[in-house]
Amino acid sequence: MTEHPTSHEGRQPLAARQQERTRPRQQDAAAAAAAAAIPSPAAAPNPGPGPAAVAEAQAATRREGDRLRFVGAATRRIARGIDLDEIVLGLCRASVPTFSDAILVYLRDPLPVGDERPVSPFVLRLRRSDRLRHTDEEGGETGPESERLRPLLSDPTADLMPAAELCEVRAGGALAEVLRGVRPVFGDSAAARAALPELLGPGRPVPTGHRAILAPLRGRRRVIGAAVFVRSTERAPFEASDLLVAAQLATHTALGIDKAVLYGREAYIADELQRTMLPDSLPQPTGVRLASRYLPAAETARVGGDWYDAIPLPGSRVALVVGDVMGHSMTSAAIMGQLRTTAQTLAQLDLPPQEVLHHLDEQAQRLGSDRMATCLYAVYDPVAHRITIANAGHPPPVLLHLGGRAEVLRVPPGAPIGVGGVDFEAVELDAPAGATLLLYTDGLVESRLRDVWTGIEQLRERLAATAQLTGPDHSPPLEALCDDVLDMLGPGDRDDDIALLAARFDGIAPSDVAYWYLEPEDAAPGRARRLARRALARWDLEEMSDEVELLVSEVVTNAVRYAERPVTLRLLRTDILRCEVGDDSPQLPRQRRARETDEGGRGLFLVNRLARRWGATRLSTGKVVWFEMATRG
């Protein structure tokens, strides 16, 4: 039986015996190393790298570090640009004079957007050109860092500036091949020598040696331009590593331009979407003058859901609406358009203001659970000199009286549209002649610098101060008043878009109104003619009697045919003569061409030919047919 060495007493452990066996070899290796360290008379010492090589290596390291820092700073400067011009300017300012003495930036014209197919032919337009300028003894033009670099420059890049404005890239040509290759090339390469004259235009000198770099600008999907970097003959030419720098600059610039073009297109679409949903022009209803303003928000939040509207109603009344959809997006603008269309439809039904808000609330809930908006809906009656207002979470209106006193109207605030299950309340207030009602969105009175109630008080004070300038007997001009209100905005107050609607109440005097009830019987048209003749005689408009009597008779005859309750007849005299006939039948009349054998059907044809304007509006209690005629004299 073989025993383990460590099992016997007096014998050394295995590890100790192995260490003794290796110790002589370690001693021999140490002696050999010591002997090798003693210089031999026959061997020359190894001097290592010399001072020149070390200096060159350090200089190369510094150049590489400078190049990396330059690329980092330049790309950050390019990335700071938001729109197209800022990005191109960032490239030029970053390149001249640090990287080159001159730069030409060409972009495709027009620039394709997103997945759009580029138009033909392929045309490049010179977007910007910059070069280093020096200061002469006569105090000439100076450029960036010109004082430091003036001894190096005799401005040899001036022959390139400006280059050709437009360049059509020929399919299969030298320039097209370089752009398709994407990589920057030196100006003295075979490809660039043929491509640069095509780009710069005939007669332009092409820099010799490594003194020009032609860098294609490629976006995410296609080439969108080209950049030419040029160095003067008094400066060190470009190196091979500078091609990588030019590639970095070109790549960041092209991607930035792609984003800027997409952002610009989206902002344009959103802005146009919002503006097309606002009224192109305000109506000119009888007894009230209107003015409006709309300001988009700041560039970072320019798309919003603010809107305003003025909707003529039967009886010479007008609905004044202002609203604000919460949020800043194209969705907000689209919801605004839907709510505005709904409000217009409800207004034509002549519903009370609180009912209009109730139906708007239902519509907002159908659009989505998170579709919230504030709205204020008011109806002004110029005959009664009254205004009825209902509010859905909107800032209260301000009424500027003729004497200069401005007051914030006490209107129940209500809940925003979209909450659901909330009743809205309307209040009826006096609307004296000469007073001005101002409806607005919260962007006018609320910002990061002030709360909404502070802004409302400032608005009230501003209106009162403006009215004092025109005296107690005159109201300030409506358009100038709107401009003055917007002037109260400070530089930090444009966090939200602003909609503003101003209404100057002129009213209609009772002496200019004639109103009657007519029983729905055969004698009603004849009685209507006699009443209209008397009213015209009282207003000194007898010369209009024949035409007005004829049209009144035709409209009343049509109303009596279908009515079951008394028919209303009203004449209004302002700068025009307006006639309104109402009945309880919801069926709207339609104009048609009567046949020769028909006994009727020519009434509306006569109204259409003789009246300046006419129309019919369905009400919750029936309809109103109206026509207008210009007064003579």
Side-chain angles (χ1 to χ4, degrees):
M1 180 176 179
T2 305
E3 296 181 353
H4 197 277
T6 57
S7 62
H8 295 276
E9 295 182 0
R11 299 188 62 179
Q12 292 180 342
L14 178 61
R17 288 184 281 113
Q18 289 177 346
Q19 183 177 3
E20 289 182 355
R21 285 196 297 268
T22 58
R23 185 177 295 115
R25 290 197 297 270
Q26 293 175 351
Q27 292 175 351
D28 294 342
I38 301 175
S40 173
N46 184 11
V54 172
E56 183 178 354
Q58 292 176 347
T61 302
R62 284 195 301 270
R63 287 195 299 271
E64 184 63 25
D66 292 342
R67 186 176 291 108
L68 292 176
R69 283 189 291 272
F70 164 73
V71 171
T75 53
R76 285 193 300 270
R77 187 166 191 171
I78 295 170
R80 282 198 298 266
I82 296 179
D83 59 21
L84 187 63
D85 291 331
E86 289 180 349
I87 294 172
V88 174
L89 179 62
L91 170 64
C92 296
R93 292 291 183 262
S95 303
V96 179
T98 308
F99 183 67
S100 63
D101 298 325
I103 183 173
L104 304 172
V105 181
Y106 286 84
L107 295 181
R108 199 162 189 161
D109 186 26
L111 275 169
V113 181
D115 294 326
E116 285 184 357
R117 181 181 297 276
V119 299
S120 298
F122 187 166
V123 176
L124 293 178
R125 179 181 293 274
L126 181 61
R127 186 77 184 195
R128 189 176 182 88
S129 60
D130 275 3
R131 63 185 174 90
L132 183 64
R133 300 172 178 86
H134 66 279
T135 305
D136 55 26
E137 297 179 355
E138 298 180 357
E141 196 171 18
T142 60
E145 298 189 18
S146 58
E147 292 296 332
R148 180 174 64 83
L149 297 174
R150 190 187 341 172
L152 301 178
L153 297 176
S154 58
D155 207 12
T157 62
D159 291 336
L160 293 176
M161 319 295 286
E165 182 72 17
L166 290 176
C167 169
E168 181 176 342
V169 182
R170 299 188 304 272
L175 181 58
E177 292 298 324
V178 173
L179 296 179
R180 188 179 297 112
V182 177
R183 297 180 180 276
V185 294
F186 285 122
D188 62 345
S189 64
R193 283 200 303 269
L196 281 176
E198 182 180 346
L199 178 64
L200 301 178
R204 298 289 175 181
V206 178
T208 59
H210 286 12
R211 300 197 175 277
I213 292 178
L214 174 57
L217 302 178
R218 180 178 178 82
R220 290 173 176 81
R221 293 175 177 85
R222 59 185 65 87
V223 173
I224 59 175
V228 181
F229 304 92
V230 182
R231 282 185 180 178
S232 68
T233 56
E234 302 298 328
R235 186 174 179 177
F238 290 112
E239 301 175 358
S241 56
D242 290 326
L243 292 177
L244 300 178
V245 175
Q248 288 283 337
L249 298 179
T251 299
H252 282 81
T253 301
L255 294 178
I257 290 173
D258 255 0
K259 291 188 294 184
V261 172
L262 285 173
Y263 172 79
R265 173 63 63 86
E266 290 179 359
Y268 171 78
I269 293 174
D271 190 57
E272 286 298 306
L273 171 66
Q274 187 168 17
R275 289 188 179 277
T276 52
M277 291 180 180
L278 296 174
D280 293 332
S281 60
L282 293 174
Q284 299 177 352
T286 303
V288 62
R289 286 172 287 168
L290 302 173
S292 64
R293 295 290 186 274
Y294 173 77
L295 292 180
E299 291 295 326
T300 55
R302 61 184 301 171
V303 184
D306 290 16
W307 91 90
Y308 62 89
D309 215 340
I311 309 168
L313 300 178
S316 297
R317 295 170 301 147
V318 59
L320 307 173
V321 191
V322 66
D324 182 4
V325 177
M326 297 181 183
H328 293 88
S329 64
M330 293 184 65
T331 302
S332 300
I335 294 175
M336 177 267 286
Q338 292 175 304
L339 293 180
R340 177 176 177 247
T341 303
T342 303
Q344 289 178 329
T345 303
L346 295 171
Q348 296 303 322
L349 299 177
D350 200 23
L351 298 176
Q354 65 272 24
E355 289 297 321
V356 172
L357 294 184
H358 174 73
H359 289 294
L360 283 176
D361 179 62
E362 292 180 337
Q363 175 66 11
Q365 294 180 67
R366 284 191 289 268
L367 294 176
S369 59
D370 58 342
R371 305 311 188 204
M372 306 284 288
T374 64
C375 182
L376 193 143
Y377 188 94
V379 175
Y380 170 63
D381 188 342
V383 176
H385 295 271
R386 303 282 286 179
I387 186 167
T388 305
I389 306 175
N391 191 10
H394 204 78
V398 180
L399 184 64
L400 177 63
H401 292 267
L402 182 59
R405 181 174 63 92
E407 65 169 325
V408 180
L409 297 182
R410 296 183 178 181
V411 180
I417 291 172
V419 172
V422 179
D423 292 332
F424 299 98
E425 182 180 354
V427 294
E428 187 174 349
L429 304 170
D430 288 331
T436 304
L437 183 70
L438 196 71
L439 309 180
Y440 53 91
T441 55
D442 58 357
L444 179 66
V445 295
E446 185 180 20
S447 69
R448 291 171 293 178
L449 305 178
R450 59 183 176 182
D451 61 85
V452 61
W453 289 108
T454 301
I456 292 174
E457 180 60 23
Q458 291 178 359
L459 173 61
R460 188 194 66 79
E461 294 175 353
R462 186 62 174 259
L463 289 174
T466 302
Q468 294 298 327
L469 300 176
T470 57
D473 300 329
H474 300 279
S475 299
L478 204 56
E479 297 290 342
L481 180 65
C482 292
D483 293 334
D484 192 67
V485 167
L486 294 180
D487 286 342
M488 65 179 283
L489 297 172
D493 292 347
R494 292 290 303 282
D495 303 325
D496 198 0
D497 45 347
I498 298 171
L500 179 66
L501 179 63
R504 175 71 46 77
F505 299 143
D506 293 333
I508 300 176
S511 59
D512 292 328
V513 181
Y515 191 85
W516 306 278
Y517 285 98
L518 303 174
E519 292 297 330
E521 55 189 14
D522 293 341
R527 183 167 180 256
R529 289 193 298 269
R530 291 191 298 271
L531 294 173
R533 187 185 312 117
R534 293 172 188 171
L536 294 176
R538 187 171 67 249
W539 292 334
D540 295 328
L541 298 176
E542 292 92 340
E543 69 276 7
M544 301 178 61
S545 294
D546 293 340
E547 293 180 354
V548 173
E549 286 183 40
L550 175 61
L551 299 188
V552 167
S553 177
E554 293 293 342
V555 176
V556 171
T557 299
N558 189 75
V560 169
R561 180 179 302 173
Y562 301 101
E564 297 180 358
R565 297 179 182 179
V567 175
T568 61
L569 171 62
R570 183 164 76 167
L571 296 180
L572 302 172
R573 182 191 67 166
T574 55
D575 54 340
I576 60 172
L577 180 68
R578 181 181 175 98
C579 175
E580 299 173 349
V581 177
D583 62 75
D584 60 347
S585 174
Q587 182 178 358
L588 297 180
R590 293 184 301 170
Q591 181 183 354
R592 64 182 180 88
R593 183 174 296 275
R595 294 172 297 183
E596 294 182 358
T597 58
D598 291 342
E599 295 183 359
R602 296 175 177 84
L604 291 182
F605 178 77
L606 293 174
V607 173
N608 185 64
R609 290 294 300 268
L610 298 179
R612 191 182 73 166
R613 290 197 311 156
W614 76 278
T617 305
R618 182 180 286 112
L619 308 178
S620 57
T621 58
K623 67 175 180 294
V624 168
V625 180
W626 57 269
F627 65 85
E628 294 176 351
M629 301 188 70
T631 57
R632 299 165 187 170

